[in-house]
Amino acid sequence: MSDCLFCAIAAGDISTDRLHEDEHVVAFRDINPQAPTHVLVIPREHVASAAELTSDHDALWAHMLHVAQQLARSEGIDSSGFRIVTNIGHDGGQTVNHLHLHLLGGRPMHWPPG
Ligand code: AMP
Ligand code: ZN
């Protein structure tokens, strides 16, 4: 989709610190990290958010989770614990309207923040 930041990142038109890429997904470090490890996992396909997923995306969604799980291992945060988040829409705090998982870890996560 034109005019989509994460489509441009997936295409390689905007450079990022990439940790993983394959036929279906790309993972890269968040430019404004909220934790020592803060990685985004995005599908190459433009899907606006998790609210737009259909059963056609079941394999893609599962693959995104598996990539996040593998990255938690390679980042060394699998035994300490981590958080996987996807924000949806305005009230969900979504600022980029292309589906993404946040993988956060390397410090204790508390909810609510503050
Ligand atoms: P969300 O608020 O859930 O839509 O998350 C969007 C995330 O994208 C934020 O955490 C931003 O810091 C991150 N972000 C925006 N632009 C870039 C970029 N060029 N490279 C890496 N991360 C980015
Ligand atoms: Zn997109």
Side-chain angles (χ1 to χ4, degrees):
M1 182 177 269
S2 62
D3 262 15
C4 171
L5 175 64
F6 285 179
C7 281
I9 284 176
D13 295 339
I14 293 173
S15 71
T16 55
D17 187 359
R18 277 192 193 205
L19 301 181
H20 173 90
E21 63 182 303
D22 62 38
E23 188 185 346
H24 300 292
V25 308
V26 176
F28 52 94
R29 292 197 194 280
D30 196 292
I31 204 168
N32 182 24
Q34 304 299 308
T37 291
H38 189 169
V39 177
L40 301 175
V41 181
I42 68 170
R44 289 190 185 275
E45 177 188 345
H46 180 88
V47 178
S49 78
E52 305 298 317
L53 289 168
T54 69
S55 55
D56 289 345
H57 297 112
D58 284 356
L60 176 65
W61 180 238
H63 183 56
M64 289 173 68
L65 282 171
H66 285 134
V67 167
Q69 177 191 65
Q70 283 161 14
L71 287 166
R73 265 188 226 127
S74 60
E75 289 290 299
I77 57 171
D78 52 323
S79 59
S80 51
F82 53 89
R83 181 174 283 177
I84 293 173
V85 178
T86 190
N87 298 325
I88 300 167
H90 177 269
D91 285 1
Q94 185 178 9
T95 60
V96 178
N97 293 322
H98 179 128
L99 176 65
H100 48 284
L101 295 180
H102 294 258
L103 169 67
L104 295 147
R107 67 164 172 83
M109 299 287 158
H110 300 286
W111 191 261

